PDB file of all heavy atoms in Angstrom:
ATOM      1  N   LEU A   6     -10.066  -7.971 -16.595  1.00  0.00           N
ATOM      2  CA  LEU A   6     -11.450  -7.791 -16.138  1.00  0.00           C
ATOM      3  C   LEU A   6     -12.031  -6.508 -16.789  1.00  0.00           C
ATOM      4  O   LEU A   6     -11.423  -5.446 -16.791  1.00  0.00           O
ATOM      5  CB  LEU A   6     -11.525  -7.636 -14.626  1.00  0.00           C
ATOM      6  CG  LEU A   6     -11.141  -8.834 -13.761  1.00  0.00           C
ATOM      7  CD1 LEU A   6     -11.281  -8.465 -12.289  1.00  0.00           C
ATOM      8  CD2 LEU A   6     -11.961 -10.069 -14.076  1.00  0.00           C
ATOM      9  N   SER A   8     -15.878  -4.134 -16.912  1.00  0.00           N
ATOM     10  CA  SER A   8     -16.981  -3.817 -15.974  1.00  0.00           C
ATOM     11  C   SER A   8     -16.556  -4.105 -14.531  1.00  0.00           C
ATOM     12  O   SER A   8     -17.306  -4.725 -13.786  1.00  0.00           O
ATOM     13  CB  SER A   8     -18.257  -4.605 -16.322  1.00  0.00           C
ATOM     14  OG  SER A   8     -18.626  -4.366 -17.608  1.00  0.00           O
ATOM     15  N   VAL A  13     -15.614  -5.237  -0.809  1.00  0.00           N
ATOM     16  CA  VAL A  13     -14.932  -5.362   0.484  1.00  0.00           C
ATOM     17  C   VAL A  13     -15.084  -6.795   0.993  1.00  0.00           C
ATOM     18  O   VAL A  13     -16.156  -7.377   0.910  1.00  0.00           O
ATOM     19  CB  VAL A  13     -15.557  -4.363   1.486  1.00  0.00           C
ATOM     20  CG1 VAL A  13     -14.945  -4.546   2.859  1.00  0.00           C
ATOM     21  CG2 VAL A  13     -15.337  -2.940   1.032  1.00  0.00           C
ATOM     22  N   GLU A  23     -13.774  -7.330  -8.751  1.00  0.00           N
ATOM     23  CA  GLU A  23     -14.703  -8.264  -9.379  1.00  0.00           C
ATOM     24  C   GLU A  23     -15.043  -7.646 -10.757  1.00  0.00           C
ATOM     25  O   GLU A  23     -15.109  -6.441 -10.888  1.00  0.00           O
ATOM     26  CB  GLU A  23     -15.966  -8.314  -8.496  1.00  0.00           C
ATOM     27  CG  GLU A  23     -17.058  -9.202  -9.068  1.00  0.00           C
ATOM     28  CD  GLU A  23     -18.267  -9.242  -8.164  1.00  0.00           C
ATOM     29  OE1 GLU A  23     -18.298 -10.073  -7.269  1.00  0.00           O
ATOM     30  OE2 GLU A  23     -19.165  -8.398  -8.376  1.00  0.00           O
ATOM     31  N   ARG A  27     -12.697 -11.556 -19.717  1.00  0.00           N
ATOM     32  CA  ARG A  27     -12.788 -11.623 -21.174  1.00  0.00           C
ATOM     33  C   ARG A  27     -12.487 -13.021 -21.713  1.00  0.00           C
ATOM     34  O   ARG A  27     -13.073 -13.466 -22.669  1.00  0.00           O
ATOM     35  CB  ARG A  27     -11.790 -10.611 -21.799  1.00  0.00           C
ATOM     36  CG  ARG A  27     -12.025  -9.193 -21.327  1.00  0.00           C
ATOM     37  CD  ARG A  27     -12.621  -8.229 -22.313  1.00  0.00           C
ATOM     38  NE  ARG A  27     -12.358  -8.429 -23.719  1.00  0.00           N
ATOM     39  CZ  ARG A  27     -11.441  -7.768 -24.416  1.00  0.00           C
ATOM     40  NH1 ARG A  27     -10.648  -6.899 -23.836  1.00  0.00           N
ATOM     41  NH2 ARG A  27     -11.327  -7.972 -25.700  1.00  0.00           N
ATOM     42  N   MET A  29     -13.032 -15.822 -20.473  1.00  0.00           N
ATOM     43  CA  MET A  29     -13.953 -16.905 -20.084  1.00  0.00           C
ATOM     44  C   MET A  29     -15.382 -16.509 -20.441  1.00  0.00           C
ATOM     45  O   MET A  29     -16.296 -16.628 -19.669  1.00  0.00           O
ATOM     46  CB  MET A  29     -13.823 -17.175 -18.596  1.00  0.00           C
ATOM     47  CG  MET A  29     -12.459 -17.736 -18.202  1.00  0.00           C
ATOM     48  SD  MET A  29     -12.231 -17.854 -16.426  1.00  0.00           S
ATOM     49  CE  MET A  29     -13.129 -19.358 -16.049  1.00  0.00           C
ATOM     50  N   THR A  32     -17.476 -14.329 -17.942  1.00  0.00           N
ATOM     51  CA  THR A  32     -17.880 -14.905 -16.674  1.00  0.00           C
ATOM     52  C   THR A  32     -17.585 -13.921 -15.575  1.00  0.00           C
ATOM     53  O   THR A  32     -16.518 -13.272 -15.573  1.00  0.00           O
ATOM     54  CB  THR A  32     -17.070 -16.214 -16.388  1.00  0.00           C
ATOM     55  OG1 THR A  32     -17.269 -17.091 -17.475  1.00  0.00           O
ATOM     56  CG2 THR A  32     -17.536 -16.885 -15.104  1.00  0.00           C
ATOM     57  N   GLN A  35     -14.067 -13.024  -9.305  1.00  0.00           N
ATOM     58  CA  GLN A  35     -13.611 -12.293  -8.156  1.00  0.00           C
ATOM     59  C   GLN A  35     -12.146 -12.613  -7.890  1.00  0.00           C
ATOM     60  O   GLN A  35     -11.759 -13.794  -7.994  1.00  0.00           O
ATOM     61  CB  GLN A  35     -14.407 -12.669  -6.918  1.00  0.00           C
ATOM     62  CG  GLN A  35     -15.846 -12.220  -6.966  1.00  0.00           C
ATOM     63  CD  GLN A  35     -16.601 -12.587  -5.693  1.00  0.00           C
ATOM     64  OE1 GLN A  35     -16.173 -13.443  -4.933  1.00  0.00           O
ATOM     65  NE2 GLN A  35     -17.711 -11.913  -5.494  1.00  0.00           N
ATOM     66  N   ILE A  43       0.374  -2.003  -9.340  1.00  0.00           N
ATOM     67  CA  ILE A  43       1.510  -2.077 -10.315  1.00  0.00           C
ATOM     68  C   ILE A  43       1.441  -0.806 -11.200  1.00  0.00           C
ATOM     69  O   ILE A  43       2.428  -0.154 -11.482  1.00  0.00           O
ATOM     70  CB  ILE A  43       1.456  -3.356 -11.118  1.00  0.00           C
ATOM     71  CG1 ILE A  43       1.617  -4.551 -10.199  1.00  0.00           C
ATOM     72  CG2 ILE A  43       2.528  -3.351 -12.211  1.00  0.00           C
ATOM     73  CD1 ILE A  43       1.285  -5.869 -10.858  1.00  0.00           C
ATOM     74  N   VAL A  48      -3.214  -4.466 -10.861  1.00  0.00           N
ATOM     75  CA  VAL A  48      -3.031  -4.725  -9.420  1.00  0.00           C
ATOM     76  C   VAL A  48      -2.578  -6.166  -9.209  1.00  0.00           C
ATOM     77  O   VAL A  48      -2.858  -7.013 -10.057  1.00  0.00           O
ATOM     78  CB  VAL A  48      -4.292  -4.417  -8.595  1.00  0.00           C
ATOM     79  CG1 VAL A  48      -4.627  -2.914  -8.588  1.00  0.00           C
ATOM     80  CG2 VAL A  48      -5.497  -5.242  -9.078  1.00  0.00           C
ATOM     81  N   ARG A  49      -1.900  -6.380  -8.076  1.00  0.00           N
ATOM     82  CA  ARG A  49      -1.475  -7.757  -7.727  1.00  0.00           C
ATOM     83  C   ARG A  49      -2.247  -8.170  -6.485  1.00  0.00           C
ATOM     84  O   ARG A  49      -2.465  -7.341  -5.577  1.00  0.00           O
ATOM     85  CB  ARG A  49       0.014  -7.808  -7.439  1.00  0.00           C
ATOM     86  CG  ARG A  49       0.580  -9.236  -7.227  1.00  0.00           C
ATOM     87  CD  ARG A  49       2.048  -9.251  -6.821  1.00  0.00           C
ATOM     88  NE  ARG A  49       2.865  -8.339  -7.552  1.00  0.00           N
ATOM     89  CZ  ARG A  49       3.492  -8.564  -8.722  1.00  0.00           C
ATOM     90  NH1 ARG A  49       3.365  -9.751  -9.278  1.00  0.00           N
ATOM     91  NH2 ARG A  49       4.228  -7.652  -9.278  1.00  0.00           N
ATOM     92  N   THR A  50      -2.656  -9.443  -6.422  1.00  0.00           N
ATOM     93  CA  THR A  50      -3.368  -9.945  -5.265  1.00  0.00           C
ATOM     94  C   THR A  50      -2.459 -10.707  -4.341  1.00  0.00           C
ATOM     95  O   THR A  50      -1.298 -11.015  -4.702  1.00  0.00           O
ATOM     96  CB  THR A  50      -4.542 -10.845  -5.705  1.00  0.00           C
ATOM     97  OG1 THR A  50      -3.997 -12.032  -6.342  1.00  0.00           O
ATOM     98  CG2 THR A  50      -5.502 -10.129  -6.613  1.00  0.00           C
ATOM     99  N   VAL A  51      -2.979 -11.085  -3.196  1.00  0.00           N
ATOM    100  CA  VAL A  51      -2.232 -11.835  -2.185  1.00  0.00           C
ATOM    101  C   VAL A  51      -1.705 -13.160  -2.736  1.00  0.00           C
ATOM    102  O   VAL A  51      -0.666 -13.635  -2.294  1.00  0.00           O
ATOM    103  CB  VAL A  51      -3.105 -11.974  -0.906  1.00  0.00           C
ATOM    104  CG1 VAL A  51      -4.230 -12.926  -1.138  1.00  0.00           C
ATOM    105  CG2 VAL A  51      -2.239 -12.364   0.280  1.00  0.00           C
ATOM    106  N   GLY A  53      -0.627 -13.535  -5.743  1.00  0.00           N
ATOM    107  CA  GLY A  53       0.378 -13.281  -6.770  1.00  0.00           C
ATOM    108  C   GLY A  53      -0.218 -13.066  -8.158  1.00  0.00           C
ATOM    109  O   GLY A  53       0.501 -12.697  -9.087  1.00  0.00           O
ATOM    110  N   ILE A  55      -2.010 -11.223 -11.229  1.00  0.00           N
ATOM    111  CA  ILE A  55      -2.020  -9.834 -11.677  1.00  0.00           C
ATOM    112  C   ILE A  55      -3.340  -9.629 -12.453  1.00  0.00           C
ATOM    113  O   ILE A  55      -3.693 -10.406 -13.302  1.00  0.00           O
ATOM    114  CB  ILE A  55      -0.820  -9.538 -12.556  1.00  0.00           C
ATOM    115  CG1 ILE A  55       0.449  -9.574 -11.697  1.00  0.00           C
ATOM    116  CG2 ILE A  55      -0.964  -8.131 -13.204  1.00  0.00           C
ATOM    117  CD1 ILE A  55       1.749  -9.508 -12.474  1.00  0.00           C
ATOM    118  N   ASP A  63     -17.186   0.167 -12.775  1.00  0.00           N
ATOM    119  CA  ASP A  63     -18.640   0.090 -12.784  1.00  0.00           C
ATOM    120  C   ASP A  63     -19.135   0.850 -11.552  1.00  0.00           C
ATOM    121  O   ASP A  63     -19.488   0.274 -10.525  1.00  0.00           O
ATOM    122  CB  ASP A  63     -19.093  -1.366 -12.750  1.00  0.00           C
ATOM    123  CG  ASP A  63     -20.587  -1.501 -12.738  1.00  0.00           C
ATOM    124  OD1 ASP A  63     -21.296  -0.501 -12.732  1.00  0.00           O
ATOM    125  OD2 ASP A  63     -21.068  -2.635 -12.658  1.00  0.00           O
ATOM    126  N   THR A  66     -22.954   0.347 -10.083  1.00  0.00           N
ATOM    127  CA  THR A  66     -23.163  -0.811  -9.186  1.00  0.00           C
ATOM    128  C   THR A  66     -22.591  -0.495  -7.827  1.00  0.00           C
ATOM    129  O   THR A  66     -23.203  -0.830  -6.799  1.00  0.00           O
ATOM    130  CB  THR A  66     -22.522  -2.062  -9.805  1.00  0.00           C
ATOM    131  OG1 THR A  66     -23.138  -2.332 -11.067  1.00  0.00           O
ATOM    132  CG2 THR A  66     -22.722  -3.266  -8.897  1.00  0.00           C
ATOM    133  N   ARG A  68     -22.257   2.380  -6.363  1.00  0.00           N
ATOM    134  CA  ARG A  68     -23.165   3.322  -5.691  1.00  0.00           C
ATOM    135  C   ARG A  68     -24.327   2.577  -5.084  1.00  0.00           C
ATOM    136  O   ARG A  68     -24.726   2.777  -3.936  1.00  0.00           O
ATOM    137  CB  ARG A  68     -23.650   4.386  -6.651  1.00  0.00           C
ATOM    138  CG  ARG A  68     -22.764   5.627  -6.645  1.00  0.00           C
ATOM    139  CD  ARG A  68     -23.471   6.836  -7.270  1.00  0.00           C
ATOM    140  NE  ARG A  68     -23.890   6.599  -8.661  1.00  0.00           N
ATOM    141  CZ  ARG A  68     -23.093   6.734  -9.739  1.00  0.00           C
ATOM    142  NH1 ARG A  68     -21.856   7.138  -9.575  1.00  0.00           N
ATOM    143  NH2 ARG A  68     -23.542   6.508 -10.942  1.00  0.00           N
ATOM    144  N   GLU A  70     -24.351  -0.432  -4.140  1.00  0.00           N
ATOM    145  CA  GLU A  70     -23.869  -1.255  -3.025  1.00  0.00           C
ATOM    146  C   GLU A  70     -23.467  -0.409  -1.837  1.00  0.00           C
ATOM    147  O   GLU A  70     -22.935  -0.938  -0.832  1.00  0.00           O
ATOM    148  CB  GLU A  70     -22.701  -2.126  -3.526  1.00  0.00           C
ATOM    149  CG  GLU A  70     -23.213  -3.231  -4.486  1.00  0.00           C
ATOM    150  CD  GLU A  70     -22.061  -4.028  -5.115  1.00  0.00           C
ATOM    151  OE1 GLU A  70     -20.882  -3.683  -4.900  1.00  0.00           O
ATOM    152  OE2 GLU A  70     -22.370  -5.023  -5.794  1.00  0.00           O
ATOM    153  N   HIS A  74     -19.554   8.265  -2.288  1.00  0.00           N
ATOM    154  CA  HIS A  74     -19.297   8.928  -3.564  1.00  0.00           C
ATOM    155  C   HIS A  74     -17.798   9.293  -3.675  1.00  0.00           C
ATOM    156  O   HIS A  74     -17.171   9.093  -4.715  1.00  0.00           O
ATOM    157  CB  HIS A  74     -20.152  10.187  -3.678  1.00  0.00           C
ATOM    158  CG  HIS A  74     -19.839  11.004  -4.905  1.00  0.00           C
ATOM    159  ND1 HIS A  74     -20.141  10.593  -6.157  1.00  0.00           N
ATOM    160  CD2 HIS A  74     -19.215  12.208  -5.040  1.00  0.00           C
ATOM    161  CE1 HIS A  74     -19.716  11.475  -7.035  1.00  0.00           C
ATOM    162  NE2 HIS A  74     -19.154  12.488  -6.394  1.00  0.00           N
ATOM    163  N   ARG A  79     -12.418   8.490  -6.358  1.00  0.00           N
ATOM    164  CA  ARG A  79     -10.955   8.256  -6.289  1.00  0.00           C
ATOM    165  C   ARG A  79     -10.486   7.036  -7.142  1.00  0.00           C
ATOM    166  O   ARG A  79      -9.321   6.948  -7.427  1.00  0.00           O
ATOM    167  CB  ARG A  79     -10.533   8.072  -4.849  1.00  0.00           C
ATOM    168  CG  ARG A  79     -10.643   9.364  -4.081  1.00  0.00           C
ATOM    169  CD  ARG A  79     -10.499   9.062  -2.603  1.00  0.00           C
ATOM    170  NE  ARG A  79     -10.374  10.333  -1.849  1.00  0.00           N
ATOM    171  CZ  ARG A  79     -10.387  10.394  -0.522  1.00  0.00           C
ATOM    172  NH1 ARG A  79     -10.625   9.319   0.196  1.00  0.00           N
ATOM    173  NH2 ARG A  79     -10.251  11.552   0.081  1.00  0.00           N
ATOM    174  N   PHE A  80     -11.409   6.120  -7.426  1.00  0.00           N
ATOM    175  CA  PHE A  80     -11.024   4.904  -8.174  1.00  0.00           C
ATOM    176  C   PHE A  80     -11.641   4.830  -9.567  1.00  0.00           C
ATOM    177  O   PHE A  80     -11.468   3.850 -10.231  1.00  0.00           O
ATOM    178  CB  PHE A  80     -11.400   3.671  -7.361  1.00  0.00           C
ATOM    179  CG  PHE A  80     -10.512   3.412  -6.163  1.00  0.00           C
ATOM    180  CD1 PHE A  80     -10.785   4.007  -4.943  1.00  0.00           C
ATOM    181  CD2 PHE A  80      -9.382   2.649  -6.283  1.00  0.00           C
ATOM    182  CE1 PHE A  80      -9.968   3.809  -3.855  1.00  0.00           C
ATOM    183  CE2 PHE A  80      -8.559   2.413  -5.206  1.00  0.00           C
ATOM    184  CZ  PHE A  80      -8.839   3.023  -3.990  1.00  0.00           C
ATOM    185  N   TYR A  82     -10.966   5.913 -12.447  1.00  0.00           N
ATOM    186  CA  TYR A  82     -10.099   5.617 -13.588  1.00  0.00           C
ATOM    187  C   TYR A  82      -8.974   4.675 -13.179  1.00  0.00           C
ATOM    188  O   TYR A  82      -7.944   4.623 -13.847  1.00  0.00           O
ATOM    189  CB  TYR A  82      -9.523   6.920 -14.153  1.00  0.00           C
ATOM    190  CG  TYR A  82     -10.642   7.862 -14.502  1.00  0.00           C
ATOM    191  CD1 TYR A  82     -10.856   9.013 -13.755  1.00  0.00           C
ATOM    192  CD2 TYR A  82     -11.490   7.616 -15.582  1.00  0.00           C
ATOM    193  CE1 TYR A  82     -11.887   9.900 -14.049  1.00  0.00           C
ATOM    194  CE2 TYR A  82     -12.549   8.486 -15.898  1.00  0.00           C
ATOM    195  CZ  TYR A  82     -12.734   9.600 -15.098  1.00  0.00           C
ATOM    196  OH  TYR A  82     -13.780  10.435 -15.436  1.00  0.00           O
ATOM    197  N   GLY A  83      -9.135   3.921 -12.091  1.00  0.00           N
ATOM    198  CA  GLY A  83      -8.165   2.951 -11.681  1.00  0.00           C
ATOM    199  C   GLY A  83      -7.612   3.256 -10.298  1.00  0.00           C
ATOM    200  O   GLY A  83      -8.172   4.076  -9.554  1.00  0.00           O
ATOM    201  N   SER A  85      -5.044   4.835  -7.835  1.00  0.00           N
ATOM    202  CA  SER A  85      -4.043   5.903  -7.748  1.00  0.00           C
ATOM    203  C   SER A  85      -2.874   5.459  -6.831  1.00  0.00           C
ATOM    204  O   SER A  85      -3.002   4.441  -6.201  1.00  0.00           O
ATOM    205  CB  SER A  85      -4.689   7.169  -7.177  1.00  0.00           C
ATOM    206  OG  SER A  85      -4.860   7.064  -5.773  1.00  0.00           O
ATOM    207  N   MET A  87      -2.191   6.627  -4.125  1.00  0.00           N
ATOM    208  CA  MET A  87      -2.661   6.704  -2.721  1.00  0.00           C
ATOM    209  C   MET A  87      -3.780   5.710  -2.433  1.00  0.00           C
ATOM    210  O   MET A  87      -4.492   5.823  -1.416  1.00  0.00           O
ATOM    211  CB  MET A  87      -3.104   8.101  -2.360  1.00  0.00           C
ATOM    212  CG  MET A  87      -1.982   9.099  -2.339  1.00  0.00           C
ATOM    213  SD  MET A  87      -2.528  10.785  -1.974  1.00  0.00           S
ATOM    214  CE  MET A  87      -3.311  10.576  -0.377  1.00  0.00           C
ATOM    215  N   ARG A 101     -16.528   0.771  12.136  1.00  0.00           N
ATOM    216  CA  ARG A 101     -17.114   1.555  13.273  1.00  0.00           C
ATOM    217  C   ARG A 101     -18.525   1.105  13.590  1.00  0.00           C
ATOM    218  O   ARG A 101     -19.293   0.783  12.733  1.00  0.00           O
ATOM    219  CB  ARG A 101     -17.116   3.053  12.947  1.00  0.00           C
ATOM    220  CG  ARG A 101     -15.768   3.639  13.208  1.00  0.00           C
ATOM    221  CD  ARG A 101     -15.824   5.158  13.069  1.00  0.00           C
ATOM    222  NE  ARG A 101     -14.483   5.611  12.652  1.00  0.00           N
ATOM    223  CZ  ARG A 101     -14.269   6.468  11.673  1.00  0.00           C
ATOM    224  NH1 ARG A 101     -15.267   6.999  11.021  1.00  0.00           N
ATOM    225  NH2 ARG A 101     -13.082   6.822  11.361  1.00  0.00           N
TER     226      ARG A 101
END
Side-chain angles (χ1 to χ4, degrees):
L6 294 181
S8 302
V13 175
E23 178 181 272
R27 303 252 330 260
M29 295 173 80
T32 305
Q35 293 182 341
I43 297 168
V48 293
R49 187 185 319 271
T50 64
V51 68
I55 294 171
D63 178 0
T66 301
R68 269 197 301 276
E70 290 173 354
H74 175 70
R79 290 168 170 170
F80 286 88
Y82 306 108
S85 76
M87 290 179 60
R101 278 188 209 133

